[in-house]
Every structure is written in structure tokens, then in C-alpha cells.
Amino acid sequence: MKIIWDTLLSRFVEAGAGGALSFTRGVFGRLLSVQQQNPAPPALPAPPKVPESPLFWMPNAASEYSPHVDALFNFLLWVSAISIIGVAAAMIYFCVKYRATSREANEAAESQVDHSNTLEVTWSVIPLFLVIGVFVAGFKQYVDLRTPPRSAYEVHATGQRWKWGFEYPEGLSHPELHVPLGRNVRIMIQSVDVLHALYIPEFRVKMDAVPGRYTELWFKPTKEGTFPIYCAEYCGTSHSDMLTRVVVHTPEGFQAWVAEEIKKIEAMPLVDLGLLTFNQSGCSTCHSTDGSQKVGPTFKGLFGRQEKITSLGTLNVDENYIRESILEPQSKIVEGFPPSMPTFKGQLSDRRISGLIEYIKTIK
Ligand code: CUA
């Protein structure tokens, strides 16, 4: 401790006046260079820019359903705007017109007319028709939204702290939602831990992922492109990182994507498969590869490390320990970390687990 203090002190003295900046720069520079030496693993390809929305209030309208929601929203917005301007204008007008000019004028006899049938009927009937209209339009849209068409392309979505996963009928699982343009898509949603909500603003759809039951939503994409997917239900520490994207392909492009993905996974060397799994299965949400502290222990230098296990003592991290930690994460918790990792039993093939182990070995 004393040595560190002395070094720091001498650095400050050496630097003298005006040198504090360069000292800080030096410290940060060193931190930066450490990070550069251990770059994070190449994550999924950077998401293409979300196309600029031509709409003023709303993100792009990219599904068949979107314009209906927008129309209703705009209708309500303008009716409210016109109403508030009307009410405020009448109020100001009356304030000016009926203001007290003198004490005598104020005490003068007033008209005995206490209401106007025409006026009252008008201001009751017009809003009545407006709200009935809003109800009919809203109810129709709600029923549409809750009734997926029968011949839809079905994708399973799973929410898990803190990632989304999608499973396709072709036997493919992927952290992104890929869908063909112009086809009805139905998403079956489930959660393996807590409440999440699958939210795709550009499609104007959102649905909770509830542990222990299926929920669903559907849409028909009308625009090619890449749009963000959010989790819209607070689900813990990394809730705001629970992001992915939906990619809308042309029908031919979609077929090509599926074929390409299947080919990629079959042919992959173990280490690459491990890196892919690391990114796809959400490992990176809790485990860093650069030594920094996250929810779980860092993978940097993990293989061969002596770890202190809560109430069990020290063990050497080897292939079997890593495998056990993936399949039964609660059995041996490293001291100082919360027992919050979900099991991946039944989710990862043996080949993927071996891949992860080989990948972890490479992070020195
Ligand atoms: Cu998952 Cu918030």
C-alpha cells in the first residue's frame, strides 16, 4: 500500500504544476492499451442503421398493422389539440368580455338564462360520436392484433435474463429474429425466468413473455430492413441490454439466410462454434473476456485458474468444471458471486459445450 502511495505521490511531484493532465492521460492511456490488448470477441455483425422514419412522431411503420395504430393515434392527438385550443380560446374570450369594469357594472342585474339546450346537446353529442368512433376503431384493431391468421410462419421466442432467443421451424436457433417480407409471422413467446416483454416498435406490437405459459403476437412486415427489438418489462440488472433486432428479408433472401445459417453451424470448428455460442446464448451479458467484473466471473484466464467455491474450498477450473457450470450452474458457485445463472441443460448440444470450453481456453 505504502509503495503504491509513494509512487503516486512522486508521480504528482514529478509532474508538477500543469502536469496533472498528462498524468491522468498516462493512467487512462495505460487502461486503454490494456483493453486493446484483450479486445472483446467479435460480436454479432454490427446492426445496419435503422432507416430514418419519414413520420414525425413515430418510428418507421414497417408492418401492415402499423398505419392503423398511427391513424388512431393521430386522430386522438389532433382531436385533443383542437379541443384544447377551442377551450382555451373560449376561456380567454369570456375572461376579456365579462371582466369587471367597475363596481357598479359588477353589481348590475344579470340575465336569468341559465342554460342553452342547443349548446348542451351539441357538446354532448359530438364527443359521444367521437368516443364511439375511437372505441370501434380501437376494438377492431385489438381483435385483429389478438387473432393471428391461420397460415402464419411460426417462430418461437424465448426471453431469458438478459437475452432473446428465436427458434425457427427449420431447426435453427438464433439470437435475432429474421422474417420474410410480406408474410404473416406468428411469434410464440415464453420466458424461462421472469417477466419480459417482446417489443418491436416499428411493427407496433408488444407482448409479455410470462414464465409458465405461452403468449403470442403476429405481424406482417411490409418494409425490408433491420429494426430494433427491446425488452419492455423491467427484468433486473441488464434489462436495458436485452436488445436484439428483427431483420426483414425478401422471401428469396430469407431462404438464403436460413440455408446459410444451417451450413455455417454444421461446418464450424470447435473454437468458432464456442465463440458463436458465447454470443448467441447470452454468456457475454454476465461474463467478460477482458477481466472486467460483471454479474459472473470473467472468462479471462479462467481455464486452469484456482477458484474459491462457496462452502466447498478451492478447485482447479478444468473441462469438467466448466461443463458442470453450464449444465448445473448452482452446484459450485465461485465465492463472491450471486447464484443467478440459469441452466443451459437441453439448450446447448454437446458439441456447442465442447466449443465453449475450447473458446474459454483461448481467452488468456
Ligand atoms: Cu427482459 Cu427486461
Side-chain angles (χ1 to χ4, degrees):
M1 193 61 219
K2 190 169 179 306
I3 299 173
I4 299 172
W5 175 243
D6 284 351
T7 328
L8 276 174
L9 204 64
S10 66
R11 275 304 290 263
F12 265 122
V13 174
E14 241 175 79
L21 234 180
S22 69
F23 169 76
T24 335
R25 227 179 275 137
V27 170
F28 277 108
R30 223 164 309 144
L31 282 177
L32 280 176
S33 71
V34 167
Q35 284 206 321
Q36 275 156 11
Q37 278 161 19
N38 300 292
L44 299 163
K49 269 228 169 79
V50 178
E52 189 102 10
S53 171
L55 308 172
F56 184 69
W57 310 106
M58 296 286 203
N60 262 298
S63 78
E64 205 182 48
Y65 183 63
S66 313
H68 300 292
V69 177
D70 294 4
L72 193 56
F73 175 84
N74 286 326
F75 178 74
L76 283 168
L77 181 77
W78 289 114
V79 166
S80 308
I82 291 166
S83 306
I84 199 167
I85 290 171
V87 169
M91 194 178 72
I92 292 167
Y93 173 73
F94 289 141
C95 282
V96 174
K97 184 167 180 206
Y98 296 109
R99 76 192 188 282
T101 44
S102 66
R103 179 173 282 266
E104 294 73 47
N106 214 20
E107 285 169 356
E110 285 184 4
S111 150
Q112 295 302 304
V113 178
D114 56 7
H115 75 283
S116 156
N117 281 333
T118 324
L119 209 54
E120 284 174 18
V121 169
T122 312
W123 77 41
S124 303
V125 170
I126 293 178
L128 179 71
F129 281 117
L130 286 180
V131 292
I132 289 178
V134 168
F135 169 75
V136 170
F139 185 69
K140 218 173 143 274
Q141 285 179 30
Y142 177 77
V143 171
D144 275 356
L145 187 66
R146 295 266 65 83
T147 320
R150 249 176 239 157
S151 60
Y153 180 73
E154 286 197 12
V155 179
H156 271 260
T158 305
Q160 181 177 342
R161 285 182 295 176
W162 289 280
K163 57 149 187 147
W164 289 108
F166 299 95
E167 274 168 77
Y168 298 82
E170 289 83 1
L172 187 69
S173 62
H174 202 271
E176 296 172 346
L177 180 57
H178 287 249
V179 290
L181 183 72
R183 183 154 172 209
N184 294 322
V185 180
R186 176 171 177 247
I187 313 282
M188 297 278 289
I189 307 167
Q190 56 184 320
S191 163
V192 299
D193 39 40
V194 297
L195 279 179
H196 303 276
L198 189 75
Y199 179 33
I200 315 174
E202 272 77 359
F203 294 168
R204 312 285 191 269
V205 290
K206 173 159 73 175
M207 181 44 79
D208 278 8
V210 185
R213 62 179 281 189
Y214 293 112
T215 49
E216 62 180 1
L217 60 75
W218 78 277
F219 51 81
K220 183 176 184 179
T222 51
K223 259 193 195 140
E224 228 183 306
T226 301
F227 309 106
I229 294 181
Y230 301 93
C231 175
E233 184 73 58
Y234 181 69
C235 55
T237 316
S238 299
H239 157 72
S240 53
D241 288 331
M242 200 168 154
L243 305 167
T244 182
R245 53 191 194 171
V246 53
V247 183
V248 182
H249 299 270
T250 59
E252 307 78 52
F254 182 71
Q255 288 313 320
W257 175 81
V258 170
E260 178 67 30
E261 283 302 310
I262 289 174
K263 213 168 72 194
K264 244 198 251 171
I265 292 166
E266 277 168 5
M268 219 169 246
L270 274 184
V271 174
D272 296 348
L273 184 64
L275 175 59
L276 179 80
T277 310
F278 177 78
N279 285 322
Q280 283 189 347
S281 299
C283 313
S284 54
T285 321
C286 302
H287 300 281
S288 75
T289 55
D290 59 2
S292 64
Q293 194 73 253
K294 282 189 175 179
V295 179
T298 179
F299 282 175
K300 190 184 174 210
L302 177 66
F303 194 84
R305 188 158 70 201
Q306 299 286 319
E307 289 280 38
K308 257 203 178 144
I309 305 300
T310 308
S311 69
L312 277 176
T314 311
L315 68 70
N316 187 32
V317 176
D318 60 5
E319 285 92 345
N320 279 315
Y321 174 63
I322 297 177
R323 186 186 164 82
E324 185 185 13
S325 298
I326 295 169
L327 298 177
E328 275 152 41
Q330 307 301 326
S331 59
K332 287 174 187 141
I333 303 283
V334 176
E335 214 164 76
F337 290 96
S340 55
M341 177 163 156
T343 177
F344 285 82
K345 200 179 249 174
Q347 292 186 41
L348 296 179
S349 65
D350 272 1
R351 188 149 193 277
R352 277 189 181 250
I353 293 173
S354 308
L356 270 174
I357 294 170
E358 291 311 312
Y359 168 63
I360 289 170
K361 282 184 190 172
T362 65
I363 316 167
K364 301 228 171 72

